[in-house]
Amino acid sequence: MQRFKRAGSAMTAGALLTLAVCGLPASGAATAVSAQGANIGFAAAAREEASAPKRCRTDALSAHLGRQDPGAGNVYAPLVLTNTSARTCWVYGFVGLVMFDGNGDALRTRVRRESVRPQRVVLKPNASAHARLHWVMVETGAEKRCPTSARLMIIPPDEVAHLEIPFTARPCDDGRIDVRPLAPGARP
């Protein structure tokens, strides 16, 4: 390790960097002790940051649709994401959705985010979060029929990789699905 001389005391390059970051003068034996203490503090903070949960990646999640609750042309269902990894992770925000028909062709999917404030949801292994989905099964405007989906692509928040699940539904209003941000648990 390279040592530097300043004002009669020897200091390592790491100690000088620590002092520079903290805005402390680099002189005297007391300063060297302070730098050593600061290094210990930085090391503890780095260990804590390394052990803190990270964002859930798509490959750490599984998805399924909970029980659909239809009534008066409206359907509500929880979309459940479960942490399948061995580590605790977190999710925050809204999922992305794309419907596909039985031939594998993408259907128009208009995802509307409801005005609900997102919250960070920490998922221990095997824990779940859900997003409440809502769609209408009654033709609107000039619609003559609403296309039937067969599968649903789910893009977890801040991810580009996706999950797919079976999804037999007929969202009308040009494929509109209202979605709430992810919340703790498997049910609304």
Side-chain angles (χ1 to χ4, degrees):
M1 181 174 287
Q2 185 177 7
R3 293 197 177 268
F4 297 90
K5 291 270 190 185
R6 175 163 167 103
S9 65
M11 300 184 82
T12 65
L16 283 173
L17 178 61
T18 301
L19 293 172
V21 169
C22 294
L24 301 173
S27 63
T31 304
V33 172
S34 297
Q36 186 177 19
N39 280 337
I40 292 169
F42 283 133
R47 277 194 306 278
E48 184 178 312
E49 186 177 309
S51 66
K54 296 191 179 346
R55 183 172 49 84
C56 297
R57 306 300 301 231
T58 301
D59 62 358
L61 298 169
S62 67
H64 74 274
L65 192 67
R67 187 177 70 85
Q68 293 184 22
D69 185 15
N74 291 282
V75 180
Y76 294 89
L79 173 63
V80 180
L81 299 182
T82 301
N83 178 3
T84 58
S85 75
R87 295 178 182 246
T88 299
C89 60
W90 55 266
V91 292
Y92 174 85
F94 297 85
V95 296
L97 305 172
V98 179
M99 294 184 294
F100 292 89
D101 66 14
N103 296 322
D105 295 325
L107 296 172
R108 180 159 169 84
T109 309
R110 295 186 320 127
V111 177
R112 293 279 178 96
R113 294 178 172 186
E114 291 190 19
S115 296
V116 176
R117 176 178 231 126
Q119 61 179 315
R120 181 181 282 200
V121 180
V122 176
L123 299 177
K124 292 183 178 183
N126 300 314
S128 298
H130 73 280
R132 188 189 80 173
L133 305 183
H134 166 256
W135 62 92
V136 177
M137 295 189 315
V138 177
E139 293 84 3
T140 62
E143 286 181 320
K144 301 289 186 235
R145 69 177 191 84
C146 304
T148 301
S149 67
R151 301 198 57 74
L152 185 65
M153 176 192 295
I154 302 139
I155 303 133
D158 299 319
E159 287 289 297
V160 291
H162 68 274
L163 304 164
E164 281 191 36
I165 61 171
F167 184 68
T168 305
R170 290 184 47 240
C172 295
D173 193 10
D174 207 18
R176 178 178 167 176
I177 300 176
D178 299 323
V179 62
R180 285 194 172 180
L182 287 161
R187 288 190 247 177

